[in-house]
Amino acid sequence: MPKMLPHRRPGFTLIELLVVIAIIAILIGLLLPAVQKVREAAARAKCANNLKQLGLGAHSYEGTYQRFPIGMELRAGATTTKSTFFIDLLPHIEQDPLFKLWNFSNPAANTSTTIAASRAATLIPTFICPSDQFKENPYVLVNSGATFSPATSSSGNPYGGYYSGTSYAGNYGTGAYYTSFSQFPVKPNGMFFMTGPGNEMKPTSQGGSLHTLCDNHQNLQGVRLADITDGTTNTLMMGEKYHKDDHFDSYTSSNSGLKMHQVSAWAWGGGRKGSAMLFCSSAVGINQSAKNFSASINNINAQDRRFNAWGSGHTGGANFVMGDGSVRFLRDTTPIQTLAILSTRAGNEVVPSDGF
């Protein structure tokens, strides 16, 4: 009987193993960008849906009151806020329980030094784009004499405590940041704006304390549909604001006392710096960093320009909801002249054929 040889199990040579590893690495290299694209597409779609809901909420508000929310209403003295359009929209985006808890007579009651006790720190998914990058959210905004660290801030907020940020801003028009240092003519010619009863809301030429280039903002009423003579399809209502800007944090934040991730508290309780918190404008182009405006440290003009900038974490542009509730994606190559046309509600301009 012939002798049986032992069965040899087939195996991989070192070269074969290296080839297999190389193939797997190539497949992973091809797969990761595809996964990232799918992930970003989903984030962009979620963001567009958020803006759609906000647009529907604004129209629900308009249907109830025959006007859109004002934007930000200041009390006499212009140092504290009575309400913001985000607060006004709460009952119209399925946040009625939070709205019913809101204390409009005592704004200090809406924030707290603990997240759990602070209404202003409530994270509302509709207010946040998945592609936005907050270093922390909620975050602390402090005031002088605060009992937690850091103890002081120049953020202009009298109500220290925890706040939650939003990825979205209202369309102020052709100039949004509203202080005596502002380099922009501030006109309430968008969909939302700041107003109040005090003389502080008048330009300096009319006895107020604001920049001479500012229009009169005293006792303005919310925008009616009839006021949008340029057409609701041609007028921006809200859009994205991006909160990662290392250059802002390094170059300019010492002016305001705020890091970029702390800009855009939807329940802002302070005064005129709310124009940086709640609005953007066509004063600058889309997706502009503080670095685009200055290479020097502590440049207040770069700060003001960055406050005004629309932007997003999406590739190539940002989402906007128009006055009719439709959502559009504007490229960051959109000419600033076109952006200005889309920002005004009654400018009688013609939107270029390549405007969208």
Side-chain angles (χ1 to χ4, degrees):
M1 184 174 180
K3 186 176 180 181
M4 298 292 295
L5 296 174
H7 180 69
R8 296 183 62 187
R9 298 179 61 188
F12 289 110
T13 68
L14 179 59
I15 293 177
E16 290 173 329
L17 182 61
L18 291 175
V19 169
V20 170
I21 292 174
I23 293 172
I24 292 173
I26 291 171
L27 291 174
I28 291 174
L30 294 172
L31 183 62
L32 283 178
V35 171
Q36 290 171 346
K37 285 183 179 179
V38 170
R39 204 173 274 170
E40 168 51 26
R44 181 170 154 179
K46 175 65 168 64
C47 173
N49 184 63
N50 287 346
L51 282 167
K52 182 71 174 180
Q53 296 307 310
L54 290 172
L56 290 172
H59 276 276
S60 174
Y61 182 101
E62 192 279 335
T64 302
Y65 300 103
Q66 286 70 60
R67 294 180 184 273
F68 289 102
I70 288 172
M72 182 171 72
E73 186 176 359
L74 297 176
R75 301 172 190 274
T79 59
T80 58
T81 303
K82 181 178 179 181
S83 186
T84 74
F85 73 96
F86 286 110
I87 297 170
D88 293 335
L89 289 180
L90 290 175
H92 304 274
I93 57 168
E94 300 184 346
Q95 294 292 332
D96 192 52
L98 178 59
F99 183 79
K100 288 178 178 177
L101 291 174
W102 210 261
N103 191 326
F104 290 94
S105 60
N106 180 22
N110 296 312
T111 190
S112 172
T113 55
T114 64
I115 293 176
S118 181
R119 299 174 194 131
T122 305
L123 285 169
I124 299 175
T126 308
F127 288 172
I128 301 173
C129 170
S131 294
D132 200 359
Q133 295 188 41
F134 290 89
K135 290 183 179 178
E136 56 179 344
N137 196 18
Y139 48 79
V140 169
L141 294 178
V142 301
N143 64 304
S144 297
T147 57
F148 49 94
S149 180
T152 60
S153 173
S154 58
S155 64
N157 181 31
Y159 308 121
Y162 277 93
Y163 290 79
S164 172
T166 174
S167 304
Y168 307 110
N171 168 32
Y172 209 116
T174 53
Y177 192 47
Y178 202 138
T179 73
S180 58
F181 301 106
S182 179
Q183 62 210 274
F184 306 114
V186 182
K187 302 177 183 295
N189 54 5
M191 287 288 291
F192 304 101
F193 41 75
M194 185 164 47
T195 188
N199 285 332
E200 301 83 4
M201 301 309 296
K202 295 180 179 180
T204 54
S205 59
Q206 296 180 349
S209 60
L210 297 180
H211 198 284
T212 54
L213 295 177
C214 297
D215 278 11
N216 188 2
H217 283 63
Q218 189 179 42
N219 293 323
L220 298 178
Q221 298 296 309
V223 172
R224 302 171 301 168
L225 279 173
D227 297 327
I228 312 173
T229 58
D230 287 349
T232 55
T233 58
N234 297 325
T235 305
L236 302 176
M237 178 187 287
M238 302 176 220
E240 291 188 80
K241 189 172 187 175
Y242 192 49
H243 294 90
K244 184 180 187 302
D245 191 333
D246 294 335
H247 296 288
F248 180 93
D249 292 347
S250 299
Y251 284 27
T252 70
S253 62
S254 58
N255 287 296
S256 64
L258 299 165
K259 299 295 186 181
M260 196 63 222
H261 74 276
Q262 296 173 313
V263 178
S264 295
W266 60 265
W268 172 256
R272 290 186 292 251
K273 201 170 285 266
S275 56
M277 292 283 176
L278 303 170
F279 310 108
C280 288
S281 78
S282 61
V284 299
I286 298 171
N287 278 330
Q288 297 293 299
S289 164
K291 187 179 181 181
N292 296 117
F293 309 125
S294 174
S296 62
I297 301 296
N298 199 29
N299 186 299
I300 196 167
N301 288 337
Q303 170 196 269
D304 291 1
R305 289 178 178 274
R306 182 62 179 87
F307 280 158
N308 280 270
W310 302 108
S312 79
H314 312 304
T315 302
N319 283 315
F320 292 82
V321 61
M322 310 303 289
D324 64 348
S326 63
V327 177
R328 306 285 184 92
F329 187 80
L330 295 187
R331 309 296 300 180
D332 48 24
T333 54
T334 302
I336 197 165
Q337 296 86 353
T338 301
L339 194 61
I341 289 172
L342 297 172
S343 294
T344 60
R345 66 177 183 273
N348 297 317
E349 311 99 337
V350 177
V351 179
S353 58
D354 60 348
F356 298 109

